[in-house]
Amino acid sequence: MKTYNDLDFGVTCIDTAHIRKEMVAAYLIEDDGEACFVDTGTHLTVPRLLEVLDKKNISYHDVKHIILTHIHLDHAGGAGQLLKHLPNATIFVHKRGVRHLIDPTKLRDGVIGVYGELFFKQCLGDLLPIPEERIVTANDGDEISLGNRVLKFINTPGHAKHHVCIWDEKSRGIFSGDTLGVSYREFDTENGEFIFPPTTPIQFDPETWINTIDSLLELKPERAYLAHYCMIPFHPHIANKLKNEINNFSAIAQKLASSKNRHKEITLALLDHLLSSTKKHGVALDQNVQSKLFKGDLGICARGLEVWLDQQ
Ligand SMILES: [Zn+2]
């Protein structure tokens, strides 16, 4: 399995191989002798990040920042383990994430509560606490330097309240974590990229999310470095598709709000919806293969929608 992909502008997409190949990315940015990770994958996927540094002959001492788009564990679970190898790196995270990195007990218990102990052990591995002095709050509008480059943090609530995106003027790109949607390359057609919103528990907020997408569009981004999966050219029509899907997912959940077997029915309805959308999009892949590719996401999306329903 290929570990990484060199993109333009000194950006590398690293396949963390969490759950399956090409599902969860972490990024490495290099600029003038300095390097920075955006997201880390899980505790178990850290060796792949270090392997990329080794293959590229980047000294562990030259990694200056580890930026976490948000603290969901497929993105940030490896931060504590990675930091141990990078003596000069500082972690940047939204202010709501700081205390959970210092003491990950609540995060761990929350994940085990939703996904179970077995999933935690097998797919996430562990969660190490991070010393407070190595964490810096990423406030909206703050800028940090990397070599000759400036990276700017933008608060991006909607998927989660603890989400930040990173604006990279040099590539006119947004490192978007989960905010600009999920788009797997298997669904690319001549109609372009297929995209849907990860409505993960427990802070999905459709209105806020749509406002966030609109505010990111004001930057006129040319590319989005998605966590799931990889870089896509970003145009207003992709943003519109994503906003429509946020509304569609919410409407599906609302329609099934009082059904007996709510979780199962929402999950199936989301799958039906996506399969009919991919058909319109011209995806030729066998529907069973498509279902397998969506499977990892839809149960989680349904749970997030249910939490949102319960808060109404
Ligand atoms: Zn997330």
Side-chain angles (χ1 to χ4, degrees):
M1 195 192 300
K2 204 172 161 197
T3 315
Y4 68 93
N5 228 339
D6 285 314
L7 308 172
D8 289 338
F9 304 102
V11 178
T12 303
C13 173
I14 304 168
D15 184 357
T16 67
H18 174 60
I19 309 287
R20 65 172 172 88
K21 76 176 175 82
E22 298 180 357
M23 183 168 179
V24 183
Y27 289 94
L28 178 73
I29 314 173
E30 293 167 80
D31 203 299
D32 202 24
E34 293 185 334
C36 148
F37 283 105
V38 178
D39 288 337
T40 65
T42 73
H43 183 90
L44 297 176
T45 62
V46 168
R48 294 177 71 88
L49 273 53
L50 298 173
E51 184 192 326
V52 175
L53 294 178
D54 294 341
K55 281 191 175 155
K56 288 176 166 282
N57 286 320
I58 297 172
S59 160
Y60 292 7
H61 289 83
D62 291 336
V63 181
K64 205 174 158 193
H65 319 300
I66 301 169
I67 303 171
L68 303 175
T69 57
H70 61 308
I71 58 169
H72 289 160
L73 298 188
D74 49 339
H75 306 268
Q81 175 68 359
L82 181 62
L83 197 66
K84 285 189 161 185
H85 296 272
L86 308 176
N88 299 322
T90 301
I91 301 238
F92 288 86
V93 70
H94 189 285
K95 67 173 186 290
R96 286 174 175 269
V98 174
R99 68 191 173 95
H100 296 292
L101 296 185
I102 297 169
D103 176 9
T105 314
K106 233 181 139 180
L107 262 186
R108 180 192 285 117
D109 292 349
V111 167
I112 291 174
V114 175
Y115 305 108
E117 185 108 39
L118 190 68
F119 176 85
F120 182 82
K121 280 208 176 110
Q122 286 184 344
C123 298
L124 301 170
D126 203 355
L127 203 49
L128 303 186
I130 295 170
E132 191 170 355
E133 62 273 15
R134 298 197 65 183
I135 306 174
V136 173
T137 304
N139 294 304
D140 187 48
D142 281 0
E143 295 181 341
I144 58 171
S145 71
L146 182 78
N148 291 316
R149 184 173 199 138
V150 173
L151 302 170
K152 183 178 178 177
F153 299 118
I154 307 165
N155 263 354
T156 52
H159 169 78
K161 287 178 184 166
H162 46 84
H163 203 302
V164 296
C165 288
I166 299 100
W167 169 242
D168 172 34
E169 180 77 43
K170 197 165 198 168
S171 66
R172 297 205 63 77
I174 296 174
F175 290 85
S176 59
D178 283 343
T179 294
L180 293 179
V182 170
S183 177
Y184 297 128
R185 303 283 53 81
E186 291 91 342
F187 298 95
D188 286 348
T189 68
E190 56 185 17
N191 295 316
E193 294 80 17
F194 184 79
I195 199 153
F196 67 95
T199 58
T200 317
I202 53 175
Q203 294 173 340
F204 166 64
D205 177 347
E207 253 173 69
T208 305
W209 196 346
I210 287 170
N211 289 337
T212 286
I213 295 167
D214 284 336
S215 70
L216 290 176
L217 278 175
E218 285 170 21
L219 294 164
K220 300 198 178 359
E222 291 174 11
R223 47 191 59 74
Y225 298 99
L226 309 179
H228 316 282
Y229 177 90
C230 211
M231 191 269 286
I232 60 167
F234 203 77
H235 304 288
H237 75 265
I238 294 265
N240 286 334
K241 278 192 204 170
L242 181 61
K243 289 192 288 180
N244 282 337
E245 288 298 350
I246 290 172
N247 287 327
N248 290 337
F249 274 40
S250 308
I252 287 169
Q254 273 168 329
K255 208 174 149 195
L256 295 167
S258 47
S259 69
K260 235 183 184 175
N261 201 344
R262 189 177 67 169
H263 178 70
K264 198 175 165 196
E265 288 193 28
I266 293 176
T267 308
L268 286 174
L270 290 176
L271 179 61
D272 272 355
H273 168 72
L274 287 181
L275 290 177
S276 77
S277 307
T278 56
K279 197 172 176 187
K280 279 182 217 148
H281 190 67
V283 176
L285 265 185
D286 181 83
Q287 289 219 334
N288 287 325
V289 177
Q290 293 190 43
S291 302
K292 268 191 192 147
L293 291 168
F294 287 136
K295 202 179 155 212
D297 294 295
L298 293 186
I300 296 169
C301 285
R303 275 194 207 286
L305 290 164
E306 290 183 270
V307 173
W308 169 69
L309 286 174
D310 292 339
Q311 287 162 350
Q312 304 295 294

